[in-house]
Amino acid sequence: MRRSKKERQERLQDTIQTNPFVTDEELAAAFNVSVQTIRLDRMELSIPELRERIKYVAERNMDDEVRSLPIEEVIGDIIDIELDKSAISIFDVKKEHVFMRNGIARGHHLFAQANSLAVAVINDEMALTGKADIRFTRPVREGERIVAKAKVTRMEKLRTMVEVSSFVGSELVFRGEFSMFRAPAAEKDD
């Protein structure tokens, strides 16, 4: 059953407000219309494209939040963070991130997303990766979106353990446990 344009646009606004990270393709499938129709509806409603919505949410959430590195040095877009507890970032795999021969993402991009998220979640001026135990569980391909979730599992005076799990949809593609060093108090006062 097709909805009227007005009803579709109202539901589109509600859907995007509830989940600003939904893609045009996902919206088109949910509303049983073409991607072009979704884009036209968004334009009429002055709703920005996904990349702009992600940037807006990230900037709103990150004001003075990340302390251990500049936000522009984080690989992927941080969409949620609670310092010394947890963080979430998303990374869209593009042509420049994959091997030309087979379209599979280079592993260092997945690692960089996870590692920079592990650094960002630390509530300190400086955090360095001391050790990382990582596993790639399936190849990621061009066009897929990786959602990395970091969770602080243990905190000591100078060391914090951060577990990062990365997913494409609901499928685990990467897991890492990072041992992070924090800046000692004496170094911070210099």
Side-chain angles (χ1 to χ4, degrees):
M1 177 180 100
R2 279 205 172 233
R3 295 175 175 80
S4 71
K5 180 177 178 178
K6 183 179 179 185
E7 184 183 352
R8 181 184 67 241
Q9 288 183 344
E10 286 172 4
R11 290 202 52 227
L12 177 67
Q13 271 186 309
D14 291 343
T15 303
I16 291 174
Q17 194 162 12
T18 303
N19 178 10
F21 308 112
V22 65
T23 66
D24 288 345
E25 290 77 10
E26 292 167 334
L27 290 166
F31 290 101
N32 200 24
V33 294
S34 70
V35 173
Q36 189 61 34
T37 298
I38 293 296
R39 289 180 179 152
L40 290 169
D41 284 350
R42 273 195 309 93
M43 284 176 53
E44 284 182 31
L45 298 167
S46 299
I47 298 172
E49 65 181 34
L50 177 64
R51 176 65 66 198
E52 292 303 312
R53 295 193 309 263
I54 289 169
K55 262 193 341 202
Y56 172 75
V57 171
E59 287 167 1
R60 195 180 67 211
N61 288 345
M62 297 313 114
D63 286 346
D64 300 321
E65 282 279 347
V66 177
R67 296 181 56 206
S68 54
L69 78 165
I71 194 74
E72 58 273 1
E73 290 183 16
V74 175
I75 306 302
D77 296 308
I78 295 179
I79 58 172
D80 189 31
I81 191 165
E82 196 173 343
L83 294 176
D84 282 340
K85 292 195 174 148
S86 64
I88 300 172
S89 77
I90 59 174
F91 180 72
D92 290 318
V93 179
K94 298 180 181 164
K95 186 175 187 151
E96 62 265 23
H97 304 124
V98 300
F99 292 107
M100 289 174 51
R101 186 181 57 162
N102 55 20
I104 294 174
R106 294 179 178 95
H108 65 271
H109 294 294
L110 279 76
F111 175 80
Q113 178 191 21
N115 187 64
S116 65
L117 192 60
V119 171
V121 78
I122 304 296
N123 187 13
D124 228 318
E125 293 299 319
M126 187 179 80
L128 300 171
T129 305
K131 179 178 155 187
D133 180 20
I134 64 170
R135 282 186 194 78
F136 297 90
T137 57
R138 89 139 166 92
V140 176
R141 301 198 174 276
E142 182 180 347
E144 292 185 314
R145 170 172 287 156
I146 303 167
V147 177
K149 299 178 180 183
K151 180 179 165 192
V152 173
T153 57
R154 190 171 76 238
M155 288 180 57
E156 298 166 5
K157 184 177 178 183
L158 298 177
R159 188 180 292 230
T160 300
M161 299 302 292
V162 180
E163 188 176 284
V164 180
S165 300
S166 299
F167 300 86
V168 170
S170 61
E171 191 174 0
L172 182 71
V173 296
F174 174 93
R175 182 180 303 270
E177 187 168 313
F178 296 84
S179 176
M180 308 301 295
F181 288 107
R182 303 170 88 96
E187 289 181 23
K188 284 189 228 172
D189 295 336
D190 290 343

